[in-house]
């Protein structure tokens, strides 16, 4: 069967969604393009998802460096988290449970015995309202809004969330997110789950990409991918050490991301504030990426569970077909008082900023 093409910008699909956890109403899901010269980014307000990033290589050839799918319907049914903004609390939470101000909360369990990425209907599985959209010019952008209601997926309190995606410079994509707790204290941790392949999506694996991380420490994870020990260990002398540029595949058979070989590990980023987190480079295409962010940590994931996964244009994504650089708070911080707190109290504002700069 022929696959439908990606819908053009401003062509919308009507879908039924629950608004505010109460009355059902119709909202519109659309595809929105940000374009500056030959650099373009396509988004959808389903899950505040990055669908594509078009970047030239060293010879001027354009390629999409983001893994994904062709149709909005596929994104709605996606289980690989291709490109969305995850929340209210991204990453894994042990047993989907936490205690806040003496009260026990139980969230939706959707990863074995644990919760992941905000539950079954986290922020990646909701329709965001497009507040502003400027497609072109020197600094095109889109701002999306979502009201997360009290009790959604088990989390306390109403939360106002904004996410702005903007082309802030030549081949530079900035993402600014903020969330305000309205009436109850709540944990908050967002991450952007875009899969990257600087050689072009579907071009093969990323094992030959070189990677450098501004991280001298990491949090060891157990077989359930939880930091159950609460330890923060140095990367020196381990296969997790990317302080100097190293091919991703050089030591990938020495680490386990759950029950398979590959990286799925949280790094503690050196320094504070907005700072350089990672530099990745593909020697064949000449494309490189520099990531800056203001979060304390970052999860490196190397697409360990991609396995004949349906991608764009009939392509199949195989293991290690893409990698994710997920800036975030420490995983399962709600259950580890020794980690930096992720609690946002009424009137406080959570802020998470990222900047992806491509070169070639």
């Amino acid at each position: 069967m022929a696959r439908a093409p990606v819908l053009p910008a401003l062509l919308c699909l009507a879908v039924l969604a629950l608004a505010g956890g109460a009355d059902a109403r119709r909202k519109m899901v659309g595809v929105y393009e940000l374009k500056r010269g030959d650099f373009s980014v396509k988004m959808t307000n389903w899950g505040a998802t990055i669908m594509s990033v078009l970047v030239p290589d060293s010879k001027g050839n354009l390629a999409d460096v983001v893994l994904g799918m062709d149709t909005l319907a596929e994104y709605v049914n996606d289980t690989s988290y291709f490109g969305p903004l995850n929340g209210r609390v991204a990453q894994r939470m042990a047993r989907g449970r936490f205690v806040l101000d003496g009260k026990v909360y139980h969230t939706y369990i959707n990863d074995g015995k644990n919760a992941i990425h905000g539950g079954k209907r986290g922020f990646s599985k909701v329709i965001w309202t497009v507040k502003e959209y400027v497609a072109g010019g020197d600094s095109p952008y889109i701002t999306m809004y979502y009201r997360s209601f009290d009790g959604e997926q088990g989390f306390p309190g109403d939360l106002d969330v904004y996410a702005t995606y903007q082309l802030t410079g030549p081949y530079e994509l900035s993402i600014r997110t903020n969330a305000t707790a309205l009436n109850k204290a709540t944990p908050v941790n967002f991450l952007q789950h875009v899969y990257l392949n600087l050689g072009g999506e579907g071009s093969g694996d990323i094992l030959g990409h070189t990677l450098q991380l501004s991280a001298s420490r990491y949090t060891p994870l157990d077989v359930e991918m939880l930091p159950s020990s609460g330890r923060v260990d140095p990367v020196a002398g381990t296969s997790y050490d990317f302080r100097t540029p190293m091919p991703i595949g050089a030591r990938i058979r020495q680490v386990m991301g759950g029950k398979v070989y590959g990286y799925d590990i949280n790094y503690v980023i050196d320094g504070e504030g907005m700072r350089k987190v990672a530099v990745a480079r593909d020697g064949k295409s000449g494309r490189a990426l520099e990531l800056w962010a203001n979060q304390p940590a970052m999860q490196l994931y190397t697409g360990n569970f991609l396995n004949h996964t349906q991608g764009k244009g009939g392509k199949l994504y195989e293991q290690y077909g893409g990698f994710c650089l997920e800036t975030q708070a420490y995983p399962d911080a709600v259950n580890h008082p020794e980690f930096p707190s992720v609690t946002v109290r009424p009137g406080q504002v959570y802020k998470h900023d990222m900047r992806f700069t491509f070169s070639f």
Side-chain angles (χ1 to χ4, degrees):
M1 179 182 291
R3 293 165 61 80
V6 175
L7 299 180
L10 301 182
L11 180 60
C12 294
L13 170 70
V15 297
L16 193 63
L18 291 179
D23 296 335
R25 68 179 185 183
R26 299 192 78 81
K27 284 188 176 182
M28 303 302 290
V29 174
V31 178
Y32 302 83
E33 183 175 23
L34 308 177
K35 188 170 178 60
R36 176 173 171 158
D38 59 358
F39 179 48
S40 68
V41 176
K42 284 186 178 178
M43 305 278 312
T44 175
N45 58 320
W46 175 262
T49 297
I50 297 174
M51 300 175 71
S52 70
V53 175
L54 206 63
V55 187
D57 65 8
S58 58
K59 297 180 180 179
N61 300 312
L62 290 172
D64 182 0
V65 298
V66 167
L67 278 63
M69 294 159 289
D70 287 332
T71 68
L72 289 175
E74 289 172 296
Y75 280 97
V76 169
N77 295 312
D78 174 38
T79 58
S80 297
Y81 297 100
F82 280 130
L85 186 69
N86 289 329
R88 177 179 308 197
V89 175
Q91 279 306 345
R92 291 171 177 85
M93 181 190 300
R95 305 305 181 258
R97 175 191 182 277
F98 65 95
V99 179
L100 181 57
D101 294 338
K103 183 175 179 179
V104 178
Y105 292 92
H106 296 276
T107 68
Y108 195 100
I109 303 247
N110 61 327
D111 183 51
K113 298 178 181 179
N114 308 306
I116 190 170
H117 297 331
K120 182 178 181 180
R121 189 177 177 269
F123 291 178
S124 63
K125 292 294 183 184
V126 298
I127 304 170
W128 294 60
T129 300
V130 176
K131 288 292 191 179
E132 296 182 84
Y133 173 49
V134 177
D138 291 336
S139 194
Y141 70 96
I142 184 170
T143 296
M144 291 174 276
Y145 166 78
Y146 180 64
R147 163 67 65 86
S148 181
F149 57 87
D150 182 21
E152 185 175 27
Q153 300 297 289
F155 293 101
D158 296 318
L159 192 72
D160 270 352
V161 185
Y162 289 87
T164 296
Y165 295 73
Q166 186 169 22
L167 306 190
T168 47
Y171 307 105
E172 182 178 276
L173 169 64
S174 294
I175 304 172
R176 300 185 300 277
T177 68
N178 67 76
T180 303
L182 300 183
N183 41 38
K184 292 182 182 178
T186 182
V188 178
N189 178 34
F190 300 162
L191 67 80
Q192 225 300 327
H193 206 285
V194 63
Y195 286 76
L196 296 158
N197 185 324
L198 296 176
E201 58 85 25
S203 64
D205 65 52
I206 46 79
L207 300 180
H209 284 40
T210 59
L211 180 65
Q212 183 176 16
L213 300 178
S214 303
S216 55
R217 298 180 297 158
Y218 75 108
T219 54
L221 304 179
D222 61 23
V223 294
E224 292 185 277
M225 306 303 297
L226 292 165
S228 53
S229 69
R231 300 198 329 263
V232 179
D233 289 353
V235 299
T238 76
S239 299
Y240 298 109
D241 191 351
F242 283 95
R243 289 175 297 170
T244 57
M246 178 75 62
I248 291 175
R251 297 169 295 191
I252 202 165
R253 292 288 174 180
Q254 301 172 23
V255 297
M256 298 293 288
K259 298 180 180 179
V260 297
Y261 291 113
Y263 292 94
D264 194 356
I265 191 70
N266 175 66
Y267 288 88
V268 177
I269 304 304
D270 299 335
E272 296 180 352
M274 196 69 175
R275 63 217 186 276
K276 183 162 58 176
V277 173
V279 178
R281 184 179 301 276
D282 172 47
K284 291 182 179 179
S285 67
R287 293 188 188 91
L289 165 68
E290 188 171 287
L291 171 62
W292 286 57
N294 66 349
Q295 293 300 290
M298 186 211 75
Q299 191 92 0
L300 170 63
Y301 176 56
T302 50
N304 310 333
F305 290 98
L306 296 175
N307 181 18
H308 299 292
T309 305
Q310 189 69 53
K312 298 173 183 175
K315 300 185 186 79
L316 295 177
Y317 300 144
E318 304 297 348
Q319 189 178 45
Y320 315 131
F323 68 102
C324 304
L325 303 172
E326 308 164 15
T327 56
Q328 60 182 5
Y330 287 41
D332 200 28
V334 290
N335 292 308
H336 288 272
E338 67 273 25
F339 292 165
S341 174
V342 293
T343 300
V344 178
R345 297 194 174 276
Q348 293 182 337
V349 181
Y350 161 93
K351 293 184 178 182
H352 184 169
D353 298 332
M354 297 156 266
R355 185 168 70 240
F356 297 83
T357 304
F358 297 90
S359 58
F360 43 89

